[in-house]
Amino acid sequence: MSDRPPFLEAEVVKKFLTCTALIPLLKTALINFSGGTGGIIQPVRTIVPVATYGGFLGVMPAYSATDDALATKVVTFYENKRPADENETPAFPSHHSTVLLFEPRNGILKAVLDGNVITDRRTAAVSALATELLKPAAAEVLCILGSGSQAHSHFEVFMERFSFKELKLWSRRREKAEQFASTVNAKVQVCATAREAVTDADVIITVTMATEPILFGEWVKPGAHVNAVGACRPDWREVDDNLMQNCVLYVDSREAALKESGDIVLSGAEIFAELGQVLKEKKLALAEKTTVFKSVGLAIEDAVSAKLVFDSWSAATTNE
């Protein structure tokens, strides 16, 4: 028998990382993270620029005593990979990630897991938690700006958790948006412009690799809720100053958002609360206002997700 830790590939992660099982764990993790109880240790991620190739290497360690979860995610993301011809498909994805799951009692590496699926699903699940709290009461129109893996994962989770009557989609490359629409089990309106997609939307999701604003406050319906997921560097933007300065702003981590989010750093927008504070009922969910949830992504989300997958896989393997 090999002593090497197992590698749980993407299909295994997809099988065991279900929305139903994941969301309660993420809710608890976010509450503990914002509660200051000492149960979660998580530094702001370390970023190493790979300037020659327009890329970045990120390292994201976290430990939760409550969940008995110890893990590190290693992620790379590259901005300068768009082909010269706008109609060509990039040769490789912008993000790659791997999660290392350790045994907290002794530090032994228990498993190596595909991190892309974990990142996509835990990010979408947290956006759904924010949306449940902050969306307008009568939310009928969903808009997604972007057509990559995060757009797909958000679509899947949001279709499972909410009952939108209309879905509008925009992508920088229209053929990617049309491909997205052709592969999902729902009627999707592919829009020619971001403005067209945003108009009249009750909930807006931005999941792009934009470095300049693609979402402008003058387009956004008063009282709408925005999940701003992209623009993960302090000099990148998805959302303009108008929206950032005229919304009620929620984040997953105040410390990380003030360091990593260009939408916040460059606009000078004031953070109202962390999502965990709202979940813990220490801060209000002002759903009647125009709200933005700026997601930078937390290592503790990866840790509890990886532990869920490993524990479920272990149980299934034992019972075979």
Side-chain angles (χ1 to χ4, degrees):
M1 180 176 179
S2 174
D3 292 330
R4 289 181 298 178
F7 173 66
L8 306 187
E9 58 190 16
E11 290 306 313
V12 174
V13 178
K14 287 178 183 178
K15 178 179 179 180
F16 294 111
L17 197 62
T18 65
C19 185
T20 301
L22 179 59
I23 283 185
L25 293 177
L26 291 175
K27 182 177 180 179
T28 299
L30 288 164
I31 290 172
N32 290 338
F33 175 80
S34 296
T37 61
I40 291 178
I41 307 297
Q42 179 195 285
V44 174
R45 86 192 85 209
T46 298
I47 298 292
V48 178
V50 189
T52 303
Y53 301 104
F56 300 87
L57 169 68
V59 181
M60 302 171 60
Y63 169 60
S64 170
T66 304
D67 299 287
D68 200 32
L70 177 65
T72 293
K73 183 168 76 176
V74 181
V75 56
T76 58
F77 53 100
Y78 281 69
E79 57 174 324
N80 297 325
K81 52 178 277 307
R82 294 175 181 170
D85 184 345
E86 287 287 315
N87 293 317
E88 289 185 18
T89 301
F92 51 86
S94 60
H95 291 66
H96 302 268
S97 60
T98 301
V99 178
L100 308 178
L101 182 68
F102 298 90
E103 172 53 60
R105 292 175 296 176
N106 52 31
I108 292 174
L109 180 63
K110 294 200 295 185
V112 180
L113 299 90
D114 176 274
N116 292 345
V117 176
I118 287 176
T119 301
D120 290 345
R121 292 199 171 178
R122 60 79 156 158
T123 304
V126 172
S127 293
L129 277 171
T131 301
E132 288 174 354
L133 294 167
L134 301 172
K135 70 176 179 63
E140 297 184 345
V141 182
L142 173 66
C143 163
I144 299 177
L145 302 182
S147 58
S149 61
Q150 282 286 0
H152 283 269
S153 64
H154 276 75
F155 169 83
E156 291 171 0
V157 172
F158 275 59
M159 290 301 101
E160 181 177 334
R161 303 286 292 188
F162 305 103
S163 299
F164 293 102
K165 294 182 179 179
E166 184 177 355
L167 173 61
K168 301 166 76 176
L169 177 68
W170 172 83
S171 178
R172 183 178 60 88
R173 300 202 313 278
R174 185 181 178 91
E175 73 277 7
K176 289 287 290 182
E178 291 175 343
Q179 182 183 18
F180 180 112
S182 70
T183 58
V184 300
N185 186 26
K187 183 178 180 180
V188 180
Q189 178 186 346
V190 176
C191 298
T193 65
R195 182 170 190 164
E196 179 187 351
V198 169
T199 300
D200 296 327
D202 300 298
V203 175
I204 301 163
I205 303 170
T206 62
V207 279
T208 74
M209 284 292 288
T211 57
E212 299 292 338
I214 56 162
L215 176 62
F216 295 84
E218 64 181 279
W219 304 346
V220 177
K221 178 180 178 180
H225 171 63
V226 177
N227 295 296
V229 178
C232 57
R233 297 294 299 144
D235 56 346
W236 294 7
R237 300 291 301 270
E238 277 191 315
V239 181
D240 79 333
D241 287 353
N242 182 326
L243 179 55
M244 292 300 298
Q245 294 172 358
N246 293 283
C247 71
V248 182
L249 177 59
Y250 298 83
V251 297
D252 42 14
S253 166
R254 182 182 296 268
E255 180 184 13
L258 290 172
K259 180 180 179 181
E260 298 179 347
S261 169
D263 286 326
I264 295 174
V265 172
L266 299 177
S267 70
E270 182 178 349
I271 297 170
F272 178 71
E274 290 183 343
L275 184 58
Q277 294 176 303
V278 183
L279 291 166
K280 197 174 182 179
E281 300 183 347
K282 295 294 184 182
K283 288 280 190 174
L284 294 176
L286 300 175
E288 71 279 6
K289 305 287 188 179
T290 302
T291 57
V292 171
F293 171 58
K294 179 58 197 179
S295 169
V296 296
L298 302 183
I300 196 58
E301 298 165 4
D302 300 310
V304 299
S305 299
K307 186 174 187 296
L308 169 62
V309 172
F310 178 78
D311 289 348
S312 301
W313 172 81
S314 296
T317 302
T318 300
N319 293 330
E320 287 180 353

